[in-house]
Amino acid sequence: MAKTLKVDIWSDIACPWCYIGKRKFERAVEEFSADGREVEVEYHSFELAPDTPVDFEGSEVDFLVAHKGMAADQVEQMLSQVSSIASSVGLDYDFDAMQHTNTVRAHQVLHLAKSKGLQVELKERLLKAYFEQGRHVGRAEDLADLAADVGLDRDEVLRALESEEFLPDVRADIAQARTYGISGVPFFVLDRTFGVSGAQESATFVQALTQAWDEQAAV
């Protein structure tokens, strides 16, 4: 009988559905693991808008108007709906305070955190900082502060960003996503076999986890 089910998750810090999906997935894992089944999670990099400047001048509405070609009132309505869904899973999104930015540095720090066994903790910290606290997650100094919150060495974070030693890992994740045919996030790969796209309901995740576990155990 298998002892652990591996789940690889492609997501971006600047993705509201990734944080919502994270909460729904966590609830599913809690239910799925109640009888002793274990799940190992690894996050992988994905950039939704790699051409975004680090210091984007404007609001989230401004960004989405330009990025998606939508009218401002449509964007505001969409963000209101997303905020409502986020609230339903215990998240308090603040799109007015959000500082839109490029996320490639954040992904590099997540790879550093993975090497220290702190990736899951940093992923949560960065998402909370970005969506709920209006913190900047694109600049090196800000990222070093946030990484220190979960136990990473601040100076080591700054050195890693300066040298870009984890940038190849970010690029490798993105290349793997292309190989899998992933075009949007969040995207969950269970046991390197089952793909689940989007912020599904927890019951859907439980069903997928159970199927992957059963098939793994049958091998």
Side-chain angles (χ1 to χ4, degrees):
M1 174 66 74
K3 298 186 182 302
T4 303
L5 181 67
K6 176 72 180 298
V7 180
D8 295 279
I9 305 173
W10 273 261
S11 68
D12 195 3
I13 302 301
C15 166
W17 294 108
C18 290
Y19 203 6
I20 292 168
K22 182 175 185 293
R23 279 293 181 273
K24 291 183 175 183
F25 179 74
E26 286 167 347
R27 290 180 180 180
V29 169
E30 185 176 349
E31 179 181 339
F32 174 79
S33 302
D35 62 357
R37 295 177 294 189
E38 294 185 6
V39 176
E40 176 191 351
V41 171
E42 180 178 343
Y43 285 98
H44 297 273
S45 308
F46 193 95
E47 291 182 89
L48 286 170
D51 56 344
T52 304
V54 171
D55 292 301
F56 176 78
E57 295 183 4
S59 67
E60 182 67 4
V61 173
D62 295 331
F63 173 81
L64 290 172
V65 165
H67 188 67
K68 291 186 175 293
M70 298 169 61
D73 59 341
Q74 287 180 298
V75 170
E76 290 169 357
Q77 182 179 9
M78 180 182 70
L79 293 181
S80 177
Q81 291 171 341
V82 173
S83 293
S84 178
I85 295 169
S87 179
S88 73
V89 295
L91 300 174
D92 184 19
Y93 281 9
D94 188 349
F95 285 111
D96 291 334
M98 184 179 293
Q99 299 188 62
H100 203 87
T101 186
N102 188 289
T103 58
V104 70
R105 285 177 176 165
H107 286 300
Q108 292 177 61
V109 181
L110 281 166
H111 275 282
L112 169 62
K114 182 172 71 173
S115 73
K116 306 293 184 180
L118 292 168
Q119 188 196 42
V120 172
E121 291 82 357
L122 183 61
K123 183 72 171 184
E124 176 67 25
R125 184 68 193 97
L126 293 177
L127 287 166
K128 184 177 183 66
Y130 185 70
F131 284 106
E132 297 189 326
Q133 299 176 333
R135 299 282 294 274
H136 203 295
V137 299
R139 295 187 295 243
E141 294 288 337
D142 297 88
L143 284 166
D145 289 341
L146 292 166
D149 287 347
V150 301
L152 287 168
D153 181 88
R154 195 177 186 283
D155 291 336
E156 186 175 4
V157 172
L158 291 173
R159 286 195 300 271
L161 287 173
E162 178 68 24
S163 68
E164 295 189 327
E165 68 173 289
F166 291 99
L167 184 58
D169 297 295
V170 175
R171 298 298 182 226
D173 276 353
I174 294 169
Q176 183 63 61
R178 290 197 200 99
T179 299
Y180 280 150
I182 298 170
S183 58
V185 287
F187 195 93
F188 304 77
V189 178
L190 286 58
D191 191 31
R192 296 182 175 87
T193 304
F194 298 91
V196 179
S197 178
Q200 301 292 334
E201 294 303 321
S202 294
T204 301
F205 283 125
V206 170
Q207 184 179 15
L209 288 165
T210 301
Q211 182 180 356
W213 180 277
D214 290 345
E215 294 209 10
Q216 182 192 69
V219 173

PDB file of all heavy atoms in Angstrom, residues 108-132:
ATOM      1  N   GLN A 108      11.730  32.516  -7.786  1.00  0.00           N
ATOM      2  CA  GLN A 108      13.100  32.121  -7.450  1.00  0.00           C
ATOM      3  C   GLN A 108      13.241  31.886  -5.950  1.00  0.00           C
ATOM      4  O   GLN A 108      13.882  30.908  -5.520  1.00  0.00           O
ATOM      5  CB  GLN A 108      14.078  33.199  -7.915  1.00  0.00           C
ATOM      6  CG  GLN A 108      14.189  33.326  -9.421  1.00  0.00           C
ATOM      7  CD  GLN A 108      15.114  34.455  -9.835  1.00  0.00           C
ATOM      8  OE1 GLN A 108      16.292  34.460  -9.509  1.00  0.00           O
ATOM      9  NE2 GLN A 108      14.570  35.427 -10.556  1.00  0.00           N
ATOM     10  N   VAL A 109      12.643  32.754  -5.157  1.00  0.00           N
ATOM     11  CA  VAL A 109      12.739  32.599  -3.700  1.00  0.00           C
ATOM     12  C   VAL A 109      11.983  31.348  -3.247  1.00  0.00           C
ATOM     13  O   VAL A 109      12.395  30.678  -2.296  1.00  0.00           O
ATOM     14  CB  VAL A 109      12.218  33.859  -2.979  1.00  0.00           C
ATOM     15  CG1 VAL A 109      12.355  33.701  -1.464  1.00  0.00           C
ATOM     16  CG2 VAL A 109      12.989  35.097  -3.424  1.00  0.00           C
ATOM     17  N   LEU A 110      10.898  31.019  -3.931  1.00  0.00           N
ATOM     18  CA  LEU A 110      10.174  29.785  -3.601  1.00  0.00           C
ATOM     19  C   LEU A 110      11.040  28.554  -3.844  1.00  0.00           C
ATOM     20  O   LEU A 110      10.953  27.568  -3.100  1.00  0.00           O
ATOM     21  CB  LEU A 110       8.875  29.705  -4.410  1.00  0.00           C
ATOM     22  CG  LEU A 110       7.724  30.552  -3.879  1.00  0.00           C
ATOM     23  CD1 LEU A 110       6.620  30.669  -4.932  1.00  0.00           C
ATOM     24  CD2 LEU A 110       7.168  29.953  -2.592  1.00  0.00           C
ATOM     25  N   HIS A 111      11.882  28.602  -4.865  1.00  0.00           N
ATOM     26  CA  HIS A 111      12.787  27.478  -5.100  1.00  0.00           C
ATOM     27  C   HIS A 111      13.872  27.413  -4.025  1.00  0.00           C
ATOM     28  O   HIS A 111      14.254  26.314  -3.591  1.00  0.00           O
ATOM     29  CB  HIS A 111      13.408  27.570  -6.494  1.00  0.00           C
ATOM     30  CG  HIS A 111      12.545  26.972  -7.563  1.00  0.00           C
ATOM     31  ND1 HIS A 111      12.465  25.606  -7.769  1.00  0.00           N
ATOM     32  CD2 HIS A 111      11.698  27.536  -8.460  1.00  0.00           C
ATOM     33  CE1 HIS A 111      11.621  25.363  -8.757  1.00  0.00           C
ATOM     34  NE2 HIS A 111      11.142  26.513  -9.191  1.00  0.00           N
ATOM     35  N   LEU A 112      14.344  28.560  -3.591  1.00  0.00           N
ATOM     36  CA  LEU A 112      15.275  28.580  -2.457  1.00  0.00           C
ATOM     37  C   LEU A 112      14.596  27.987  -1.224  1.00  0.00           C
ATOM     38  O   LEU A 112      15.191  27.156  -0.513  1.00  0.00           O
ATOM     39  CB  LEU A 112      15.729  30.018  -2.169  1.00  0.00           C
ATOM     40  CG  LEU A 112      16.495  30.242  -0.859  1.00  0.00           C
ATOM     41  CD1 LEU A 112      17.799  29.441  -0.850  1.00  0.00           C
ATOM     42  CD2 LEU A 112      16.770  31.728  -0.638  1.00  0.00           C
ATOM     43  N   ALA A 113      13.366  28.407  -0.987  1.00  0.00           N
ATOM     44  CA  ALA A 113      12.622  27.894   0.169  1.00  0.00           C
ATOM     45  C   ALA A 113      12.434  26.378   0.080  1.00  0.00           C
ATOM     46  O   ALA A 113      12.502  25.679   1.099  1.00  0.00           O
ATOM     47  CB  ALA A 113      11.262  28.598   0.261  1.00  0.00           C
ATOM     48  N   LYS A 114      12.201  25.880  -1.133  1.00  0.00           N
ATOM     49  CA  LYS A 114      12.055  24.430  -1.309  1.00  0.00           C
ATOM     50  C   LYS A 114      13.324  23.710  -0.876  1.00  0.00           C
ATOM     51  O   LYS A 114      13.264  22.657  -0.223  1.00  0.00           O
ATOM     52  CB  LYS A 114      11.720  24.103  -2.764  1.00  0.00           C
ATOM     53  CG  LYS A 114      11.512  22.602  -3.010  1.00  0.00           C
ATOM     54  CD  LYS A 114      10.993  22.314  -4.416  1.00  0.00           C
ATOM     55  CE  LYS A 114      12.051  22.556  -5.474  1.00  0.00           C
ATOM     56  NZ  LYS A 114      11.587  22.109  -6.820  1.00  0.00           N
ATOM     57  N   SER A 115      14.473  24.284  -1.199  1.00  0.00           N
ATOM     58  CA  SER A 115      15.746  23.652  -0.838  1.00  0.00           C
ATOM     59  C   SER A 115      15.957  23.643   0.674  1.00  0.00           C
ATOM     60  O   SER A 115      16.791  22.876   1.179  1.00  0.00           O
ATOM     61  CB  SER A 115      16.914  24.379  -1.523  1.00  0.00           C
ATOM     62  OG  SER A 115      17.176  25.643  -0.927  1.00  0.00           O
ATOM     63  N   LYS A 116      15.210  24.476   1.398  1.00  0.00           N
ATOM     64  CA  LYS A 116      15.318  24.548   2.858  1.00  0.00           C
ATOM     65  C   LYS A 116      14.134  23.896   3.565  1.00  0.00           C
ATOM     66  O   LYS A 116      14.024  23.970   4.793  1.00  0.00           O
ATOM     67  CB  LYS A 116      15.404  26.022   3.300  1.00  0.00           C
ATOM     68  CG  LYS A 116      16.493  26.829   2.641  1.00  0.00           C
ATOM     69  CD  LYS A 116      17.876  26.368   3.033  1.00  0.00           C
ATOM     70  CE  LYS A 116      18.945  27.264   2.420  1.00  0.00           C
ATOM     71  NZ  LYS A 116      20.309  26.826   2.788  1.00  0.00           N
ATOM     72  N   GLY A 117      13.231  23.278   2.786  1.00  0.00           N
ATOM     73  CA  GLY A 117      12.066  22.653   3.392  1.00  0.00           C
ATOM     74  C   GLY A 117      11.005  23.624   3.861  1.00  0.00           C
ATOM     75  O   GLY A 117      10.180  23.304   4.719  1.00  0.00           O
ATOM     76  N   LEU A 118      10.986  24.834   3.277  1.00  0.00           N
ATOM     77  CA  LEU A 118      10.047  25.873   3.709  1.00  0.00           C
ATOM     78  C   LEU A 118       9.185  26.401   2.559  1.00  0.00           C
ATOM     79  O   LEU A 118       8.608  27.485   2.661  1.00  0.00           O
ATOM     80  CB  LEU A 118      10.815  27.048   4.347  1.00  0.00           C
ATOM     81  CG  LEU A 118      11.491  26.750   5.688  1.00  0.00           C
ATOM     82  CD1 LEU A 118      12.445  27.880   6.065  1.00  0.00           C
ATOM     83  CD2 LEU A 118      10.436  26.569   6.782  1.00  0.00           C
ATOM     84  N   GLN A 119       9.063  25.635   1.493  1.00  0.00           N
ATOM     85  CA  GLN A 119       8.345  26.132   0.322  1.00  0.00           C
ATOM     86  C   GLN A 119       6.865  26.364   0.605  1.00  0.00           C
ATOM     87  O   GLN A 119       6.306  27.396   0.224  1.00  0.00           O
ATOM     88  CB  GLN A 119       8.497  25.163  -0.847  1.00  0.00           C
ATOM     89  CG  GLN A 119       7.938  25.721  -2.152  1.00  0.00           C
ATOM     90  CD  GLN A 119       7.735  24.654  -3.210  1.00  0.00           C
ATOM     91  OE1 GLN A 119       7.260  23.565  -2.918  1.00  0.00           O
ATOM     92  NE2 GLN A 119       8.099  24.963  -4.441  1.00  0.00           N
ATOM     93  N   VAL A 120       6.211  25.397   1.243  1.00  0.00           N
ATOM     94  CA  VAL A 120       4.772  25.527   1.509  1.00  0.00           C
ATOM     95  C   VAL A 120       4.506  26.744   2.387  1.00  0.00           C
ATOM     96  O   VAL A 120       3.557  27.509   2.153  1.00  0.00           O
ATOM     97  CB  VAL A 120       4.227  24.246   2.157  1.00  0.00           C
ATOM     98  CG1 VAL A 120       2.790  24.441   2.619  1.00  0.00           C
ATOM     99  CG2 VAL A 120       4.309  23.079   1.178  1.00  0.00           C
ATOM    100  N   GLU A 121       5.368  26.956   3.380  1.00  0.00           N
ATOM    101  CA  GLU A 121       5.197  28.099   4.283  1.00  0.00           C
ATOM    102  C   GLU A 121       5.370  29.427   3.545  1.00  0.00           C
ATOM    103  O   GLU A 121       4.596  30.375   3.748  1.00  0.00           O
ATOM    104  CB  GLU A 121       6.203  28.018   5.438  1.00  0.00           C
ATOM    105  CG  GLU A 121       5.940  26.886   6.411  1.00  0.00           C
ATOM    106  CD  GLU A 121       6.487  25.534   5.945  1.00  0.00           C
ATOM    107  OE1 GLU A 121       7.034  25.448   4.818  1.00  0.00           O
ATOM    108  OE2 GLU A 121       6.375  24.555   6.710  1.00  0.00           O
ATOM    109  N   LEU A 122       6.379  29.488   2.665  1.00  0.00           N
ATOM    110  CA  LEU A 122       6.606  30.736   1.939  1.00  0.00           C
ATOM    111  C   LEU A 122       5.506  30.990   0.914  1.00  0.00           C
ATOM    112  O   LEU A 122       5.109  32.140   0.699  1.00  0.00           O
ATOM    113  CB  LEU A 122       7.970  30.721   1.252  1.00  0.00           C
ATOM    114  CG  LEU A 122       8.320  32.025   0.517  1.00  0.00           C
ATOM    115  CD1 LEU A 122       8.360  33.208   1.490  1.00  0.00           C
ATOM    116  CD2 LEU A 122       9.645  31.910  -0.228  1.00  0.00           C
ATOM    117  N   LYS A 123       5.019  29.938   0.285  1.00  0.00           N
ATOM    118  CA  LYS A 123       3.931  30.114  -0.686  1.00  0.00           C
ATOM    119  C   LYS A 123       2.742  30.796  -0.020  1.00  0.00           C
ATOM    120  O   LYS A 123       2.177  31.761  -0.557  1.00  0.00           O
ATOM    121  CB  LYS A 123       3.515  28.751  -1.244  1.00  0.00           C
ATOM    122  CG  LYS A 123       2.445  28.822  -2.323  1.00  0.00           C
ATOM    123  CD  LYS A 123       3.003  29.378  -3.622  1.00  0.00           C
ATOM    124  CE  LYS A 123       2.001  29.229  -4.748  1.00  0.00           C
ATOM    125  NZ  LYS A 123       2.553  29.681  -6.031  1.00  0.00           N
ATOM    126  N   GLU A 124       2.364  30.319   1.139  1.00  0.00           N
ATOM    127  CA  GLU A 124       1.250  30.920   1.879  1.00  0.00           C
ATOM    128  C   GLU A 124       1.561  32.368   2.251  1.00  0.00           C
ATOM    129  O   GLU A 124       0.715  33.250   2.115  1.00  0.00           O
ATOM    130  CB  GLU A 124       0.960  30.100   3.138  1.00  0.00           C
ATOM    131  CG  GLU A 124      -0.114  30.692   4.044  1.00  0.00           C
ATOM    132  CD  GLU A 124      -1.503  30.696   3.435  1.00  0.00           C
ATOM    133  OE1 GLU A 124      -1.779  29.847   2.548  1.00  0.00           O
ATOM    134  OE2 GLU A 124      -2.327  31.549   3.839  1.00  0.00           O
ATOM    135  N   ARG A 125       2.797  32.615   2.699  1.00  0.00           N
ATOM    136  CA  ARG A 125       3.170  33.967   3.122  1.00  0.00           C
ATOM    137  C   ARG A 125       3.093  34.953   1.960  1.00  0.00           C
ATOM    138  O   ARG A 125       2.618  36.088   2.123  1.00  0.00           O
ATOM    139  CB  ARG A 125       4.591  33.956   3.696  1.00  0.00           C
ATOM    140  CG  ARG A 125       5.027  35.324   4.267  1.00  0.00           C
ATOM    141  CD  ARG A 125       4.244  35.663   5.510  1.00  0.00           C
ATOM    142  NE  ARG A 125       4.384  37.049   5.932  1.00  0.00           N
ATOM    143  CZ  ARG A 125       3.513  38.014   5.625  1.00  0.00           C
ATOM    144  NH1 ARG A 125       2.453  37.749   4.862  1.00  0.00           N
ATOM    145  NH2 ARG A 125       3.680  39.241   6.082  1.00  0.00           N
ATOM    146  N   LEU A 126       3.573  34.541   0.797  1.00  0.00           N
ATOM    147  CA  LEU A 126       3.569  35.438  -0.354  1.00  0.00           C
ATOM    148  C   LEU A 126       2.157  35.717  -0.850  1.00  0.00           C
ATOM    149  O   LEU A 126       1.823  36.858  -1.198  1.00  0.00           O
ATOM    150  CB  LEU A 126       4.418  34.849  -1.487  1.00  0.00           C
ATOM    151  CG  LEU A 126       5.921  34.747  -1.234  1.00  0.00           C
ATOM    152  CD1 LEU A 126       6.615  34.084  -2.418  1.00  0.00           C
ATOM    153  CD2 LEU A 126       6.534  36.114  -0.957  1.00  0.00           C
ATOM    154  N   LEU A 127       1.324  34.698  -0.898  1.00  0.00           N
ATOM    155  CA  LEU A 127      -0.055  34.894  -1.346  1.00  0.00           C
ATOM    156  C   LEU A 127      -0.813  35.818  -0.399  1.00  0.00           C
ATOM    157  O   LEU A 127      -1.549  36.709  -0.836  1.00  0.00           O
ATOM    158  CB  LEU A 127      -0.761  33.540  -1.464  1.00  0.00           C
ATOM    159  CG  LEU A 127      -0.336  32.665  -2.645  1.00  0.00           C
ATOM    160  CD1 LEU A 127      -0.838  31.236  -2.459  1.00  0.00           C
ATOM    161  CD2 LEU A 127      -0.840  33.232  -3.966  1.00  0.00           C
ATOM    162  N   LYS A 128      -0.625  35.609   0.882  1.00  0.00           N
ATOM    163  CA  LYS A 128      -1.300  36.455   1.870  1.00  0.00           C
ATOM    164  C   LYS A 128      -0.820  37.904   1.756  1.00  0.00           C
ATOM    165  O   LYS A 128      -1.614  38.847   1.792  1.00  0.00           O
ATOM    166  CB  LYS A 128      -1.042  35.935   3.284  1.00  0.00           C
ATOM    167  CG  LYS A 128      -1.783  36.706   4.378  1.00  0.00           C
ATOM    168  CD  LYS A 128      -1.546  36.080   5.742  1.00  0.00           C
ATOM    169  CE  LYS A 128      -2.339  36.796   6.819  1.00  0.00           C
ATOM    170  NZ  LYS A 128      -3.797  36.631   6.643  1.00  0.00           N
ATOM    171  N   ALA A 129       0.498  38.054   1.599  1.00  0.00           N
ATOM    172  CA  ALA A 129       1.072  39.388   1.478  1.00  0.00           C
ATOM    173  C   ALA A 129       0.504  40.121   0.258  1.00  0.00           C
ATOM    174  O   ALA A 129       0.170  41.310   0.327  1.00  0.00           O
ATOM    175  CB  ALA A 129       2.589  39.292   1.369  1.00  0.00           C
ATOM    176  N   TYR A 130       0.384  39.403  -0.837  1.00  0.00           N
ATOM    177  CA  TYR A 130      -0.039  40.019  -2.098  1.00  0.00           C
ATOM    178  C   TYR A 130      -1.535  40.319  -2.121  1.00  0.00           C
ATOM    179  O   TYR A 130      -1.949  41.437  -2.459  1.00  0.00           O
ATOM    180  CB  TYR A 130       0.336  39.093  -3.251  1.00  0.00           C
ATOM    181  CG  TYR A 130       0.069  39.673  -4.623  1.00  0.00           C
ATOM    182  CD1 TYR A 130       0.833  40.719  -5.116  1.00  0.00           C
ATOM    183  CD2 TYR A 130      -0.953  39.159  -5.429  1.00  0.00           C
ATOM    184  CE1 TYR A 130       0.593  41.250  -6.385  1.00  0.00           C
ATOM    185  CE2 TYR A 130      -1.194  39.679  -6.691  1.00  0.00           C
ATOM    186  CZ  TYR A 130      -0.416  40.723  -7.152  1.00  0.00           C
ATOM    187  OH  TYR A 130      -0.662  41.247  -8.404  1.00  0.00           O
ATOM    188  N   PHE A 131      -2.339  39.347  -1.761  1.00  0.00           N
ATOM    189  CA  PHE A 131      -3.791  39.498  -1.928  1.00  0.00           C
ATOM    190  C   PHE A 131      -4.502  40.134  -0.735  1.00  0.00           C
ATOM    191  O   PHE A 131      -5.552  40.746  -0.896  1.00  0.00           O
ATOM    192  CB  PHE A 131      -4.436  38.137  -2.232  1.00  0.00           C
ATOM    193  CG  PHE A 131      -4.212  37.692  -3.638  1.00  0.00           C
ATOM    194  CD1 PHE A 131      -3.309  36.679  -3.921  1.00  0.00           C
ATOM    195  CD2 PHE A 131      -4.870  38.288  -4.693  1.00  0.00           C
ATOM    196  CE1 PHE A 131      -3.079  36.273  -5.232  1.00  0.00           C
ATOM    197  CE2 PHE A 131      -4.649  37.901  -6.011  1.00  0.00           C
ATOM    198  CZ  PHE A 131      -3.750  36.886  -6.271  1.00  0.00           C
ATOM    199  N   GLU A 132      -3.948  39.990   0.457  1.00  0.00           N
ATOM    200  CA  GLU A 132      -4.653  40.487   1.647  1.00  0.00           C
ATOM    201  C   GLU A 132      -3.983  41.680   2.313  1.00  0.00           C
ATOM    202  O   GLU A 132      -4.650  42.454   3.005  1.00  0.00           O
ATOM    203  CB  GLU A 132      -4.779  39.358   2.682  1.00  0.00           C
ATOM    204  CG  GLU A 132      -5.613  38.187   2.213  1.00  0.00           C
ATOM    205  CD  GLU A 132      -5.913  37.184   3.313  1.00  0.00           C
ATOM    206  OE1 GLU A 132      -5.050  36.984   4.199  1.00  0.00           O
ATOM    207  OE2 GLU A 132      -7.014  36.616   3.303  1.00  0.00           O
TER     208      GLU A 132
END
